[in-house]
Amino acid sequence: MADPLRLAIAGLGTVGTGVIRLLQENGAMLAERAGRPLEVVAVSARDRARDRGVDLSPFDWEDDMTAMAARADVDVVVELVGGSDGPALTLARNAIAGGKHFVTANKAMIAHHGLELAGAAEGSGSALKFEAAVAGGIPVVKGLREGAAANRIDTVYGVLNGTANYILSTMEATGADFTTTLGEAQRLGYAEADPTFDIEGIDAAHKLAILASIAFGSRLDFDAVACEGISRVRAADIRQADTLGYVVRLVASAEIDMSDGQPALLQQVRPCLVPKSHPLAHVTGATNAVVAQGNFSGRLLFQGAGAGDGPTASAVVADLIDIARGDAGAPFSVPSSGLEELPIADAGHHTGQTYLRFSVTDRPGVLAEITAAMRDADVSIESLIQQGRANNGGEVLVAMVTHDGPQSNVAQAVELLAGSDSLTAPPLVMQIIED
Amino acid sequence: MADPLRLAIAGLGTVGTGVIRLLQENGAMLAERAGRPLEVVAVSARDRARDRGVDLSPFDWEDDMTAMAARADVDVVVELVGGSDGPALTLARNAIAGGKHFVTANKAMIAHHGLELAGAAEGSGSALKFEAAVAGGIPVVKGLREGAAANRIDTVYGVLNGTANYILSTMEATGADFTTTLGEAQRLGYAEADPTFDIEGIDAAHKLAILASIAFGSRLDFDAVACEGISRVRAADIRQADTLGYVVRLVASAEIDMSDGQPALLQQVRPCLVPKSHPLAHVTGATNAVVAQGNFSGRLLFQGAGAGDGPTASAVVADLIDIARGDAGAPFSVPSSGLEELPIADAGHHTGQTYLRFSVTDRPGVLAEITAAMRDADVSIESLIQQGRANNGGEVLVAMVTHDGPQSNVAQAVELLAGSDSLTAPPLVMQIIED
């Protein structure tokens, strides 16, 4: 058998420990599949003393993880530290500059610095791989970069954040409101003490920007992702959606908009209504799923565990096997210099059905005011539900679903109502995903 | 850019024509992704005169497709002729012996001769690739061979035949019986005039044997697949299943059985009951889906179009891109000489819940006879439904679901009832897939 592929692992949290456990448990099988043994040479983490439940004694310990990039006895640096900048980025730059292959689960770093790192890796002949950065154990980076490589992809979307999906699908199952459900999720360890990245869609946006670049061959552009979280989704919205045949999901979607005659990139993360017959409607709990629409393949769906030490380790080691097998090709499917710089699309161009929910004071004329704004903005209403009076000070909810039409019209209708003292809160607008 | 990857395409039916159309439509993008142009040099088919809607004039025409294996100006032979033996196999052997890469959509040939061809390809340094042979456009061969490569996989299963799934999901939607639905499917072109391969599970068995070999690293063993078709599933079974919270699917499954202390291979294709909450329950029409359970990744699901010229062409060209990029590694994840020869597992070892449906004469004591047989075989009954008298000569259906238990006990109960003149037809036994 060929020489071992020698690894240095930076970061020994749950994922780093999971990788070591995987390499130990499945080692013989991995060597056979990879054509050579995968051998950990050195590890690094903050606290050497901590008991991680795996035997670290066979490995060199590096107090300074940056030193691993300089070791002559290392072929691949595996970064599982996290953080978009700081030590992780320094390690990545140094490892790649030193001609080492680099594998990471760090979605924030790839979303912000992926282009720079890919360019450097292409220059030094290193592999840069990040399967674990998107959707945990689901091989969707590979699925788009290689499996669907024959296709022009027009749209890629999915459920990319397990915490947000756990909260929404729990609200759906229990009828509880957002705050209660978030608190419960925090208590159970499904949501972090500071849940901002998950519930505001930033984590999903990191992953989306990476997927979009691979799917479209466009330059990675995290800053262009329009992001809206789930904290404004009420139990009542989920009930209304259910009545209308939908569920609510935090959907991350990227699509190519040709309305201006040339390609522009629309990247959005926001709660959407998903028809119950759509595969994403059945994605519950911490599960992730990605849909890609190829011009020859048709709709492809990849689904699995979006996080967790086992699934993430599975993705990290799949990258290592690829490297051991001599995997070639650019990190983002085409060389980074060839990635197209696409302008940001006008979100108003997007057409489809929309759900709007207004919180209004319970008095005559409010419904007339709302429907007049819709008419003036040329928004055609398919169905409208006005709930009976609630207990909280005369607030009433009006929910409606529009016919197909451009988002710009919906935005205009909302704009027209912006000054109205009939509204007790800004309306919640959710796009409806096509089946 | 590097030299083109030069292709010879044998077979210009819908898939072959689809591949040419894809290469023409997406050509520039493909060259960028593959790092070199994909260039068709020669084509071959039975009828040169037929109008296929694509321009074949740029390509050399070979009347004898075997001649393509000998052309010095060809790097890859693409076989889209079909048939497990005959000209397709001759072409495969010659192409590989001549050091050419070989790409095929031919599931029957790979199921029967994949080991021989893989051994030859490993010897001659050729790539042998067959993504399109399993589940059409879904990149599941790659998903298992590479994406899930870090995992020990204990079970892989799925809906692998679009025709059978179309029939079952149509029966579910319309309440019509099997014969009517098959006839309608044939009229619509969803089922062939001779539907045997599809409805008897043989096509699914071809695909399953290939997936099992990749997932487990075991020697491909098509002859060991136990196969049962869907022709005995009645509209009444689908109604009963629905009442009990299930749908009926033709499930192809492979698993490692450790009951005898060493691994044995269980491969089955047969109609099963699938809980409505399981992802496979939402796979309707001609869609295919594959589930793999990895020891680190957890449950992975791949879903998409299982057939059709576009999806199949997408898979064929993905293989070509891999080859152009310098893809390496054994066709079945480990070198064919290293694939384990696993004994066939005793299907009776498999434990789980089972659905049984008896067609019985409507007279006293029949239910007692059936339940006594269950008791004597140590099969515990969870629920039992006896339908009211039917119109067809006093035949009554008795359907039941067992508690968890070994299949051997169920088989014994059926055996005990074999001679009974209370039964008007052999019972239908369907395993229940775990959620």
Side-chain angles (χ1 to χ4, degrees):
Chain A
M1 193 166 279
D3 288 340
L5 186 73
R6 298 162 304 172
L7 318 173
I9 298 180
L12 294 172
T14 54
V15 175
T17 310
V19 168
I20 288 176
R21 203 158 45 82
L22 198 166
L23 293 172
Q24 288 173 346
E25 264 186 61
N26 294 354
M29 186 195 77
L30 295 175
E32 216 179 356
R33 293 190 179 170
R36 50 202 284 210
L38 305 179
E39 181 187 315
V40 180
V41 169
V43 297
S44 175
R46 240 174 305 185
D47 180 3
R48 186 168 187 174
R50 204 175 115 209
D51 179 11
R52 296 172 170 89
V54 293
D55 179 14
L56 300 174
S57 64
F59 320 133
D60 286 358
W61 181 275
E62 294 277 6
D63 282 320
D64 171 16
M65 69 177 184
T66 316
M68 302 207 288
R71 290 181 67 118
D73 61 352
V74 164
D75 303 308
V76 189
V77 172
V78 181
E79 183 273 308
L80 304 168
V81 174
S84 62
D85 295 82
L89 184 59
T90 306
L91 180 64
R93 286 175 174 152
N94 290 356
I96 291 168
K100 304 214 182 303
H101 303 303
F102 189 77
V103 172
T104 180
N106 189 331
K107 57 212 80 166
M109 182 175 75
I110 295 297
H112 285 281
H113 306 289
L115 276 180
E116 174 208 321
L117 296 176
E122 288 155 19
S124 70
S126 306
L128 166 66
K129 298 190 72 72
F130 42 80
E131 182 65 79
V134 183
I138 313 172
V140 65
V141 167
K142 180 178 284 287
L144 294 182
R145 180 181 175 273
E146 303 168 29
N151 295 270
R152 187 169 48 68
I153 293 176
D154 292 324
T155 170
V156 59
Y157 62 99
V159 168
L160 294 177
N161 183 273
T163 302
N165 201 56
Y166 173 84
I167 291 173
L168 289 173
S169 59
T170 302
M171 288 172 72
E172 192 179 305
T174 63
D177 68 14
F178 172 78
T179 313
T180 311
T181 311
L182 171 60
E184 184 68 5
Q186 287 172 316
R187 207 182 56 78
L188 293 167
Y190 292 138
E192 298 191 42
D194 177 358
T196 312
F197 263 46
D198 293 318
I199 66 172
E200 295 305 334
I202 300 158
D203 171 78
H206 285 145
K207 298 166 182 167
L208 178 69
I210 297 169
L211 287 182
S213 175
I214 297 169
F216 307 140
S218 56
R219 282 176 71 83
L220 208 154
D221 192 358
F222 169 71
D223 293 332
V225 184
C227 224
E228 188 192 325
I230 60 169
S231 55
R232 292 180 58 226
V233 176
R234 298 190 190 179
D237 293 311
I238 290 176
R239 272 199 308 278
Q240 300 293 15
D242 179 56
T243 308
L244 296 160
Y246 301 96
V247 299
V248 179
R249 292 286 177 269
L250 181 66
V251 177
S253 68
E255 58 191 86
I256 298 295
D257 172 27
M258 295 295 294
S259 331
D260 290 335
Q262 53 195 17
L265 177 60
L266 181 60
Q267 299 177 104
Q268 299 172 289
V269 177
R270 73 288 186 218
C272 290
L273 262 56
V274 176
K276 287 179 186 173
S277 52
H278 189 287
L280 290 191
H282 309 294
V283 177
T284 55
T287 302
N288 279 197
V290 176
V291 175
Q293 189 75 35
N295 68 334
F296 277 78
S297 65
R299 182 197 278 176
L300 294 172
L301 171 76
F302 304 87
Q303 186 175 317
D309 53 339
T312 310
S314 165
V316 168
V317 177
D319 280 347
L320 296 173
I321 295 172
D322 272 356
I323 291 171
R325 282 177 175 162
D327 172 89
F332 292 96
S333 31
V334 304
S336 54
S337 61
L339 291 167
E340 232 179 321
E341 181 143 16
L342 296 180
I344 302 177
D346 181 341
H349 288 163
H350 183 91
T351 62
Q353 292 187 276
T354 305
Y355 167 95
L356 295 105
R357 184 258 297 155
F358 300 92
S359 320
V360 301
T361 50
D362 188 12
R363 65 174 188 222
V366 169
L367 210 53
E369 188 183 344
I370 292 175
T371 52
M374 295 291 149
R375 179 200 59 210
D376 295 346
D378 205 16
V379 175
S380 163
I381 298 167
E382 183 187 275
S383 56
L384 186 149
I385 304 176
Q386 175 168 354
Q387 283 194 325
R389 184 190 299 253
N391 292 328
N392 48 347
E395 189 197 55
V396 169
L397 297 187
V398 176
M400 61 180 70
V401 168
T402 72
H403 280 292
D404 265 338
Q407 285 297 310
S408 53
N409 291 6
V410 173
Q412 197 198 333
V414 170
E415 185 68 33
L416 286 172
L417 288 165
S420 166
D421 57 6
S422 301
L423 304 193
T424 57
L428 179 69
V429 179
M430 294 196 276
Q431 290 170 39
I432 298 181
I433 300 293
E434 251 182 89
D435 201 7
Chain B
M1 192 166 280
D3 289 339
L5 186 73
R6 300 163 302 173
L7 318 172
I9 299 180
L12 294 171
T14 53
V15 175
T17 311
V19 168
I20 289 176
R21 203 158 46 80
L22 198 168
L23 293 172
Q24 288 173 347
E25 263 186 63
N26 293 355
M29 185 196 78
L30 294 176
E32 216 178 357
R33 292 189 181 172
R36 51 201 286 209
L38 305 180
E39 182 189 312
V40 179
V41 170
V43 296
S44 176
R46 240 175 305 184
D47 179 3
R48 185 167 188 173
R50 203 175 115 209
D51 179 11
R52 297 173 169 87
V54 292
D55 179 13
L56 300 176
S57 65
F59 318 133
D60 287 356
W61 180 275
E62 295 277 6
D63 282 318
D64 171 16
M65 70 177 182
T66 316
M68 303 207 288
R71 288 183 69 119
D73 61 351
V74 164
D75 303 309
V76 188
V77 172
V78 181
E79 183 273 309
L80 304 168
V81 174
S84 62
D85 294 82
L89 184 59
T90 305
L91 179 64
R93 286 175 174 153
N94 288 356
I96 292 169
K100 304 212 182 307
H101 304 302
F102 189 77
V103 172
T104 181
N106 190 331
K107 59 211 80 166
M109 182 174 74
I110 295 298
H112 284 281
H113 305 289
L115 276 181
E116 174 207 320
L117 296 176
E122 288 156 20
S124 70
S126 307
L128 166 67
K129 297 189 73 71
F130 41 81
E131 182 65 80
V134 182
I138 313 172
V140 65
V141 167
K142 180 179 283 288
L144 294 183
R145 180 181 176 274
E146 303 169 29
N151 295 270
R152 187 169 48 71
I153 293 177
D154 292 322
T155 169
V156 58
Y157 62 99
V159 169
L160 293 178
N161 183 274
T163 303
N165 202 55
Y166 172 84
I167 291 172
L168 288 174
S169 60
T170 302
M171 287 172 72
E172 192 180 302
T174 62
D177 67 15
F178 172 78
T179 312
T180 310
T181 310
L182 171 61
E184 184 68 7
Q186 286 172 316
R187 207 182 54 78
L188 293 168
Y190 292 137
E192 299 191 42
D194 177 358
T196 312
F197 264 45
D198 293 319
I199 65 171
E200 294 305 334
I202 299 158
D203 172 79
H206 286 146
K207 299 166 182 166
L208 178 70
I210 297 170
L211 288 182
S213 174
I214 297 169
F216 307 139
S218 55
R219 284 176 71 84
L220 209 154
D221 192 358
F222 168 71
D223 293 331
V225 184
C227 224
E228 187 191 324
I230 60 170
S231 54
R232 292 181 58 227
V233 177
R234 298 191 189 178
D237 293 312
I238 290 176
R239 273 199 309 277
Q240 300 293 16
D242 179 57
T243 308
L244 296 161
Y246 301 96
V247 300
V248 179
R249 293 286 178 268
L250 182 66
V251 177
S253 67
E255 59 192 87
I256 297 295
D257 171 27
M258 295 294 294
S259 328
D260 290 334
Q262 52 195 18
L265 177 59
L266 181 61
Q267 300 177 101
Q268 299 172 290
V269 177
R270 72 289 185 218
C272 290
L273 262 57
V274 176
K276 288 180 185 170
S277 52
H278 189 286
L280 290 191
H282 309 293
V283 177
T284 55
T287 302
N288 279 195
V290 176
V291 174
Q293 189 75 35
N295 68 335
F296 278 78
S297 65
R299 181 197 278 176
L300 294 172
L301 171 76
F302 303 86
Q303 186 174 317
D309 54 338
T312 310
S314 166
V316 167
V317 177
D319 280 347
L320 295 174
I321 296 172
D322 272 356
I323 291 172
R325 283 175 175 164
D327 171 90
F332 292 95
S333 30
V334 303
S336 54
S337 61
L339 292 167
E340 231 179 322
E341 182 144 15
L342 296 181
I344 302 176
D346 181 341
H349 289 162
H350 184 91
T351 62
Q353 291 187 275
T354 305
Y355 167 95
L356 295 105
R357 183 258 297 153
F358 299 92
S359 321
V360 301
T361 50
D362 188 10
R363 66 170 187 223
V366 169
L367 210 54
E369 189 182 344
I370 293 175
T371 51
M374 295 292 149
R375 179 201 58 209
D376 294 346
D378 205 15
V379 175
S380 162
I381 299 167
E382 183 186 276
S383 55
L384 185 150
I385 305 175
Q386 174 168 355
Q387 284 194 326
R389 186 190 299 252
N391 293 329
N392 48 345
E395 189 198 55
V396 169
L397 298 187
V398 176
M400 61 180 69
V401 168
T402 72
H403 281 291
D404 266 338
Q407 285 296 310
S408 52
N409 291 5
V410 173
Q412 196 198 334
V414 170
E415 185 67 32
L416 286 173
L417 288 164
S420 168
D421 57 5
S422 302
L423 304 192
T424 57
L428 179 69
V429 180
M430 294 196 278
Q431 289 170 40
I432 299 181
I433 300 294
E434 251 183 88
D435 200 9

